[in-house]
């Protein structure tokens, strides 16, 4: 390596916390010291550097969510509220913290209540689908719907999933049984009427057709995780059966866009029985609502520039907005402040990058760092913005529109990353060729690195990615 050749430290200065030390100058060999002469100084040094009792990091709250007196400081109560206010790793279940989505929720409720349709929600991960389902569950429960919520897994099958749903529906709502009958009074459910052999869509549909006096929502979240094509086919079949029999049971599926296509492919005629809704990115005002909700709940204040930084970095993602606000809030409290500044948001970006590093293969990370160091940051930023705005799969028009650049520059940006093997072609759409990053987390990591380098910690306004 020549003296002018960039090192890894120059590639991502300020990012990698594990800085490599320069090699020590060669020293002449020396005579090995006696074991005792070496060990005793090491022991003394260890004792000297050992922390005093009570100085090691401690949890701030107990397992019962109570303040821990031994480690409490003047911001302990605020920290506890902050954990509740911004929950990037968990869906929102508290209506007070549910930001925006009023029109989306209203549309879903109307399709269920007025049109008696089954609903399919799709969109990229982290956009807030599960939070939306939790709030829908609360609204339906208030309307006295029976709501059965299931999170699908790789091994989900029809018999297990819908037998469990039947167990949540009291037998007293079956038209063949009296509400005062012994079975109903003993708390029996529809599951008690099911045969021992595997449950079929027709059998479940027949049973659901006998319901009266109530309505049931069966919510299948994470539908994209189910690997069984038979399960998808049976779900399509039960939607058809329930619709034809005027059943008082409706399904709500949440997953990715491909799920709707596969569902309809099994039984094309169910298209008229489904309301499909792509959950959109959050608007700037909705992201600011997340910030405002957190300020209210946690007794924190984000200054106007810090809020603008959050909007710029989040790119409409509920997950990223909550993650950045969570880390920025703690950064402010660690500095002894209850006001979050742009510097705290920049610190939060640093923390977010560290988290995403563990989710992406090291060669891909190194490749991206190298391109940043070579001055390709605008190409990376423009394509990652397009990816984040288009749920992962995008075309040249998306790059052009999101970044307000010429069609030629948009296509050039795509060609650069195709040649670097960071993009892969996807099935073409109506507008032509479409692309996706080779790893799902790369667009977010790239955008975070761009933010780390370009959102000045003390600037007065966020900068936008520009064409090179």
């Amino acid at each position: 390596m020549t003296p002018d050749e960039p090192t890894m430290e120059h590639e991502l200065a300020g990012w990698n916390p594990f800085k490599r030390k320069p090699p020590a100058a060669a020293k002449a060999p020396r005579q090995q010291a006696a074991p005792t002469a070496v060990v005793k100084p090491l022991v003394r040094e260890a004792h000297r550097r050992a922390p005093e009792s009570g100085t090691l990091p401690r949890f701030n709250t107990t397992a019962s969510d109570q303040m821990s007196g031994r480690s409490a400081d003047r911001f302990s109560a605020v920290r506890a509220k902050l954990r509740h206010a911004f929950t990037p790793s968990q869906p929102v279940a508290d209506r007070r913290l549910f930001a925006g989505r009023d029109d989306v929720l209203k549309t879903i409720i109307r399709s269920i209540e007025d049109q008696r349709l089954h609903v399919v929600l799709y969109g990229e991960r982290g956009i807030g689908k599960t939070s939306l389902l939790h709030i829908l569950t609360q609204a339906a429960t208030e309307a006295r719907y029976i709501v059965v919520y299931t999170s699908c897994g790789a091994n989900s099958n029809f018999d297990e999933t819908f037998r469990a749903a039947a167990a949540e529906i009291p037998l007293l709502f079956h038209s063949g049984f009296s509400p005062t009958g012994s079975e109903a009074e003993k708390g029996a459910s529809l599951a008690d009427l099911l045969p021992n052999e595997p449950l079929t869509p027709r059998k479940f549909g027949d049973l659901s057709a006998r319901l009266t006096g109530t309505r049931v929502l069966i919510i299948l979240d994470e539908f994209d995780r189910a690997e069984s094509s038979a399960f998808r086919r049976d779900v399509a079949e039960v939607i058809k059966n329930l619709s034809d029999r005027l059943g008082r049971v409706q399904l709500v599926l949440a997953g990715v866009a491909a799920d709707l296509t596969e569902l309809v492919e099994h039984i094309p005629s169910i298209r008229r029985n489904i309301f499909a809704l792509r959950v959109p990115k959050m608007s700037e005002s909705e992201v600011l609502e997340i910030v405002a909700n957190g300020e209210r709940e946690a007794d924190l204040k984000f200054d106007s520039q810090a809020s603008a930084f959050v909007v710029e970095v989040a790119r409409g993602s509920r997950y990223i907005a909550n993650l950045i606000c969570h880390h920025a809030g703690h950064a402010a409290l660690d500095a002894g402040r209850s006001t979050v500044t742009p510097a705290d948001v920049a610190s939060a970006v640093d923390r977010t990058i560290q988290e995403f590093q563990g989710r992406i293969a090291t060669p891909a990370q190194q490749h991206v760092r190298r391109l940043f160091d070579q001055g390709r940051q605008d190409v990376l930023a423009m394509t990652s913005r397009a990816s984040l705005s288009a749920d992962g799969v995008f075309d040249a028009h998306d790059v052009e529109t999101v970044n307000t650049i010429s069609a030629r520059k948009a296509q050039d940006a795509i060609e650069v990353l195709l040649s670097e093997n960071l993009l892969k072609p996807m099935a073409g759409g109506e507008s032509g060729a479409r692309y996706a990053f080779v790893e799902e987390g790369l667009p977010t990591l790239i955008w975070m690195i761009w933010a780390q380098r370009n959102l000045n910690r003390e600037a007065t306004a966020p900068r936008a990615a520009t064409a090179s």
Side-chain angles (χ1 to χ4, degrees):
M1 178 178 295
T2 63
D4 296 331
E5 188 174 347
T7 65
M8 181 63 73
E9 288 84 346
H10 294 136
E11 291 183 12
L12 273 183
W15 178 21
N16 190 342
F18 304 104
K19 297 291 186 182
R20 294 180 299 177
K21 296 180 180 180
K27 297 181 179 180
R30 62 181 182 181
Q31 185 177 0
Q32 185 175 357
T36 303
V38 173
V39 172
K40 285 186 176 180
L42 290 178
V43 172
R44 287 195 298 270
E45 177 67 10
H47 282 294
R48 185 184 68 81
R49 298 179 59 182
E52 297 179 3
S53 177
T55 62
L56 288 173
R58 296 179 181 273
F59 284 85
N60 291 311
T61 56
T62 65
S64 59
D65 294 331
Q66 301 298 314
M67 291 297 127
S68 176
R70 292 180 299 178
S71 58
D73 59 25
R74 65 191 182 97
F75 288 123
S76 292
V78 180
R79 292 180 192 277
K81 293 177 182 178
L82 181 61
R83 298 183 201 111
H84 176 70
F86 299 115
T87 56
S89 61
Q90 296 178 334
V92 174
D94 188 336
R95 285 188 174 185
R96 295 177 305 169
L97 299 176
F98 187 71
R101 308 296 198 196
D102 289 353
D103 290 339
V104 174
L105 187 60
K106 184 184 299 183
T107 300
I108 295 171
I109 290 174
R110 285 179 174 175
S111 66
I112 293 171
E113 185 175 36
D114 298 336
Q115 298 178 270
R116 304 302 186 197
L117 293 173
H118 305 272
V119 175
V120 177
L121 301 178
Y122 62 94
E124 69 171 275
R125 289 173 178 81
I127 202 66
K129 297 186 297 296
T130 299
S131 296
L132 192 59
L133 292 179
H134 278 289
I135 302 303
L136 174 65
T137 296
Q138 292 181 29
T141 302
E142 288 178 356
R144 300 191 177 182
Y145 277 66
I146 295 173
V147 183
V148 183
Y149 184 99
T150 299
S151 185
C152 298
N155 299 319
S156 291
N157 63 76
F158 186 86
D159 177 76
E160 180 182 349
T161 300
F162 283 82
R163 193 177 288 273
E168 298 294 324
I169 306 173
L171 193 60
L172 64 89
F173 294 111
H174 191 285
S175 61
F177 293 83
S178 169
T180 58
S182 59
E183 296 90 346
E185 290 183 346
K186 291 178 181 178
S189 69
L190 292 193
D192 296 311
L193 304 181
L194 297 178
N196 292 327
E197 61 265 20
L199 181 61
T200 65
R202 177 174 293 276
K203 181 63 179 177
F204 185 83
D206 292 344
L207 197 61
S208 299
R210 304 293 301 276
L211 289 177
T212 184
T214 192
R215 289 193 172 275
V216 180
L217 279 187
I218 298 177
I219 298 177
L220 302 182
D221 196 6
E222 305 277 1
F223 190 66
D224 54 303
R225 294 180 59 197
E227 298 177 353
S228 170
S229 60
F231 177 62
R232 296 173 185 269
R233 182 183 63 249
D234 286 344
V235 169
E237 181 68 41
V238 82
I239 289 175
K240 174 67 173 173
N241 198 294
L242 290 170
S243 300
D244 291 347
R245 300 291 300 276
L246 303 178
R248 300 175 71 86
V249 178
Q250 290 164 270
L251 269 61
V252 178
L253 312 181
V256 296
D259 297 328
L260 176 61
T261 303
E262 294 179 15
L263 203 62
V264 175
E265 281 179 351
H266 288 305
I267 305 178
S269 63
I270 69 171
R271 188 182 296 273
R272 67 176 181 270
N273 307 126
I274 288 177
F275 173 73
L277 176 65
R278 176 181 176 272
V279 180
K281 290 279 189 180
M282 301 191 83
S283 66
E284 290 188 4
S285 61
E286 288 176 328
V287 174
L288 288 175
E289 191 174 338
I290 289 178
V291 176
N293 287 345
E295 287 179 319
R296 182 189 66 245
E297 294 297 314
D299 294 331
L300 278 176
K301 175 63 178 177
F302 282 68
D303 73 25
S304 59
Q305 189 54 45
S307 297
F309 276 20
V310 172
V311 170
E312 179 72 5
V313 174
R315 301 300 305 167
S317 167
R318 176 205 163 270
Y319 168 71
I320 294 297
N322 274 275
L323 186 62
I324 293 297
C325 287
H326 174 89
H327 287 322
H330 280 289
L333 296 178
D334 289 343
R337 292 180 277 102
S338 60
T339 298
V340 179
T341 67
D344 299 320
V345 177
S347 175
V349 170
D350 296 343
R351 289 285 303 275
T352 300
I353 289 174
Q354 293 179 27
E355 290 186 17
F356 269 85
Q357 285 182 106
R359 307 174 192 176
I360 297 174
T362 299
Q365 293 182 46
Q366 293 175 339
H367 196 169
V368 166
R369 298 175 191 177
R370 187 162 56 251
L371 291 178
F372 266 100
D373 191 62
Q374 292 172 357
R376 300 293 183 88
Q377 71 160 14
D378 288 333
V379 169
L380 290 164
M382 289 188 294
T383 49
S384 66
R385 288 181 72 178
S387 177
L388 293 172
S389 298
D391 296 345
V393 180
F394 62 97
D395 56 23
H397 179 70
D398 293 322
V399 179
E400 176 186 352
T401 302
V402 171
N403 297 282
T404 318
I405 58 175
S406 68
R408 175 64 180 174
K409 287 183 177 179
Q411 189 60 47
D412 286 346
I414 290 174
E415 294 297 334
V416 167
L417 295 194
L418 279 173
S419 67
E420 295 288 343
N421 296 317
L422 287 176
L423 292 182
K424 59 184 178 182
M426 306 294 287
E430 296 179 359
S431 59
R434 295 173 65 77
Y435 309 92
F437 278 86
V438 292
E439 290 199 36
E440 182 180 334
L442 270 179
T444 302
L445 177 64
I446 290 170
W447 183 247
M448 290 295 105
I449 298 175
W450 185 90
Q452 183 189 53
R453 293 183 172 213
N454 291 271
L455 295 182
N456 190 299
R457 296 170 187 261
E458 303 299 336
T460 57
R463 295 166 50 192
T466 57
S468 57

